[in-house]
Amino acid sequence: MKSIELDAIDLQLLDSLQHDASLSNVALAEMVNVSPPTCLRRVKRLIDDGWIERQVAVLNADQLGAALGHGLTVLVEVSLDKQGSEHLDAFEARAVALDAVQQCWRVSPGPDFMLVLQARDMPHYLSLSQNLFTQDANVRNVKAFFATKRAKFTSTWPLRPAL
C-alpha cells in the first residue's frame, strides 16, 4: 500500500462515501464536481491505496432488536496479568476471532483492552466471558458495563471543517 496525499476532492469523495456508500458514480461525481470517469478513477485509487478499507451496510439496531431480540451490548475493560507484547498479541487474537466482539481496542493508561461485545442474552454473555476471559486467557481483571441506551453510533470520520 503506497501512501498518497489527499486533496480536497479526495476528502470530499471519502466524506460522501462514508455517509452513503451506495451513491452511484454519476451522483458522486456531481457532488464533488468532477466528471464520472475522473470520479471512478479517484475512488478506485482510494480503494487500491487502502483509504477505503471496505464498504458495509449499517443495520438498524432497533429493527433488528424488534425482530430478533434486543440482546446485550457490553463494554468490557480487560486487564491482563502479563503485558508482554506476545501476551497482548495472544489476547487480541483471541478477542478478534469471536464474531460477538464488535470492537477491540488496546488502550493506555488503565486496562489493557476495551471491548464492545454483542450478546444474544445473559447466558450467551456468560458463555462468551468464559471463553474469552478464563482458561488460558492471561486475564487478571474484567469490568463489564451493560449498555442501557445508545445515544449515538457512527462510523464516520470528521473530514469536513467544523461549522
Side-chain angles (χ1 to χ4, degrees):
M1 173 172 68
K2 70 178 183 177
S3 179
I4 62 169
E5 286 193 35
L6 299 176
D7 64 17
I9 292 171
D10 293 327
L11 289 172
Q12 289 176 337
L13 287 168
L14 290 171
D15 190 61
S16 297
L17 287 170
Q18 75 175 344
H19 284 92
D20 185 357
S22 69
L23 289 168
S24 71
N25 183 59
V26 171
L28 188 59
E30 286 177 12
M31 289 177 77
V32 300
N33 298 314
V34 297
S35 70
T38 297
C39 183
L40 196 59
R41 272 193 310 276
R42 281 179 171 256
V43 170
K44 181 178 179 341
R45 183 189 51 152
L46 291 168
I47 292 169
D48 291 346
D49 288 348
W51 292 98
I52 298 172
E53 190 172 325
R54 60 189 167 135
Q55 296 177 0
V56 299
V58 178
L59 305 181
N60 184 304
D62 292 333
Q63 287 187 279
L64 282 172
L68 304 174
H70 286 279
L72 298 171
T73 300
V74 190
L75 294 87
V76 184
E77 293 180 359
V78 180
S79 297
L80 300 183
D81 193 36
K82 299 173 187 160
Q83 282 89 18
S85 63
E86 69 276 7
H87 301 293
L88 293 166
D89 291 344
F91 180 81
E92 183 179 300
R94 178 188 210 104
V96 301
L98 296 175
D99 287 340
V101 176
Q102 292 183 321
Q103 296 181 45
C104 175
W105 296 86
R106 284 193 195 185
V107 295
S108 179
D112 298 305
F113 289 91
M114 288 291 303
L115 306 176
V116 177
L117 306 175
Q118 189 64 44
R120 289 184 303 276
D121 50 27
M122 192 56 78
H124 183 222
Y125 173 72
L126 176 62
S127 173
L128 286 169
S129 66
Q130 288 173 336
N131 180 36
L132 195 53
F133 308 133
T134 61
Q135 301 161 6
D136 60 340
N138 182 39
V139 172
R140 177 175 27 97
N141 190 36
V142 173
K143 195 182 232 184
F145 304 89
F146 295 89
T148 57
K149 178 185 175 191
R150 181 175 79 179
K152 181 178 181 179
F153 170 83
T154 185
S155 61
T156 61
W157 287 77
L159 297 177
R160 293 184 185 196
L163 300 175

